[in-house]
Amino acid sequence: MDLTFSEAELAFRDELRSWLADHHPGEMPHGDEDEQYAFRRDWQRTLYDGGWAAVHWPSRYGGRDATLTQSAIYFEELGRARAPLAANVLGLLLAGPTIMAWGTEEQQDRYLTPILSAEEIWCQGFSEPEAGSDLASLKTKAVRDGDEWVVTGQKVWTSGAQHSKWCMLVARTDQDVPKHKGLSYFLMDMEQAEIQVRPLVQITGEAEFNELFIEEARIPHENLLGGEGNGWKVALTTLMNERAGLGFFLQVRMRNVLDDLVTAAVQNGRIDDPVVADRLGDLHLRTENLRLLAYRGLSTIERYGQPGPEGSLTKWLWSETNQLLAQTAADVVGADALVAGTPWAYELLRSRGNSIEGGTTEILKNIVAERVLRLPRAA
Ligand SMILES: Cc1cc2nc3c(=O)[nH]c(=O)nc-3n(C[C@H](O)[C@H](O)[C@H](O)COP(=O)(O)OP(=O)(O)OC[C@H]3O[C@@H](n4cnc5c(N)ncnc54)[C@H](O)[C@@H]3O)c2cc1C
């Protein structure tokens, strides 16, 4: 990837900058989860109306057919402007790219635009109580009944299910073949009485994710994505997009948090402590490193049309750095960073989940060892 911007790319950046200056909704409210969600949904609608909800998507679905360099500019400018997160993150980063890669034309026409406009929110129904890292051992089953599939089982950690119209559901459709081969991927309508969504309260006090209890829910056959028995391959597309997308998206936001921490350290004089300065310097280098890795990930997509396994490296380093950043903040800001309800205390508690969500650090290290470094499999 050429990191020098052309005239056209600079013009794209300036157009976005001036649009953001005119449409920025201000600071997100703190505290109330429902209020925050409504704020982010409104913001996504504003982005969509302006044609800025997802610039790399095809224009026929409301995107801008942007190049990868323009996409990089896009994420960096949103971060620079400290724009709030869109509401439909899993729809934009996971469901959309998976439907683009595996969906029929009818499925693409049906689902993609409502994802962009935040009209239909998506959640990811992969993990189960006995199947997280070892996703292929999941037990939720789907049985064909004429033109429908009947689904029964339990999912867990389903982020945003309480707001979602659709779920990316992976279920077992064949018990008699090796576990990876017996899975199928469905687009499941959450608005049915056979699905119960029960919130799980996290250490932050928020109930960001949920348990799903599914008792004979119905899915029309036309909502199968990528063909019967192909669920593992389709799920890998979702997971690779999750790791690559999160890497780019979140590292830009981490830079803002680091800048705030440096400002706090200058204001309270802690910057004069060489140990503190050293830790902040280390965080600066890690954040820059992540930015370059994110560009490298985009180059892979440019060359091969999809994210590569090195997205696992970005996600692992991002979670490690974000946790270090939150711990450093607690030391630099002092007791104020531990007061419940403050942004620093929130970061400290929420960052614990970073090394679990989207693949645990241990699993990502295995992927990097085997698929990037080509080391032999662990016994
Ligand atoms: C904030 C948050 C949001 C989430 N959102 C979603 C969501 O929206 N949808 C969804 O489907 N899931 C979601 N998850 C679930 C997440 O993907 C799983 O928690 C994760 O994949 C780990 O699975 P597990 O919890 O079953 O742990 P396990 O797989 O039981 O792992 C337990 C420990 O053992 C280690 N381990 C397991 N296998 C190996 C191995 N082969 N080698 C080395 N170490 C190993 C793991 O790394 C981990 O440390 C979310 C999780 C969090 C924390």
Side-chain angles (χ1 to χ4, degrees), residues 90 124-129 131-134 156-159 202 208-209 350 353 356-363 366:
L90 299 189
Q124 181 189 19
F126 284 22
S127 304
E128 296 185 5
S133 303
D134 185 13
V156 72
W157 316 121
T158 322
S159 304
Q202 293 161 254
E208 198 184 347
F209 48 46
R350 180 60 184 82
I356 304 173
E357 60 198 311
T360 67
T361 293
E362 292 81 359
I363 294 296
N366 281 345

Side-chain angles (χ1 to χ4, degrees), residues 60-135:
R60 67 186 276 229
Y61 303 121
R64 285 183 180 243
D65 299 312
T67 62
L68 287 162
T69 307
Q70 286 174 326
S71 303
I73 292 173
Y74 171 73
F75 284 123
E76 296 213 326
E77 288 303 318
L78 287 184
R80 233 174 84 98
R82 296 182 178 238
L85 280 179
N88 205 4
V89 175
L90 299 189
L92 290 168
L93 292 184
L94 276 58
T98 309
I99 294 170
M100 281 186 232
W102 291 93
T104 60
E105 213 170 307
E106 290 76 40
Q107 288 172 329
Q108 293 175 352
D109 287 342
R110 164 65 188 83
Y111 296 105
L112 294 176
T113 302
I115 289 177
L116 271 195
S117 62
E119 197 181 317
E120 294 181 346
I121 305 295
W122 283 72
C123 63
Q124 181 189 19
F126 284 22
S127 304
E128 296 185 5
E130 301 295 327
S133 303
D134 185 13
L135 181 62

Side-chain angles (χ1 to χ4, degrees), residues 314-335:
T314 317
K315 200 262 146 176
W316 153 29
L317 294 181
W318 167 77
S319 57
E320 197 178 81
T321 305
N322 210 38
Q323 287 173 352
L324 270 178
L325 176 55
Q327 283 154 22
T328 308
D331 295 339
V332 169
V333 178

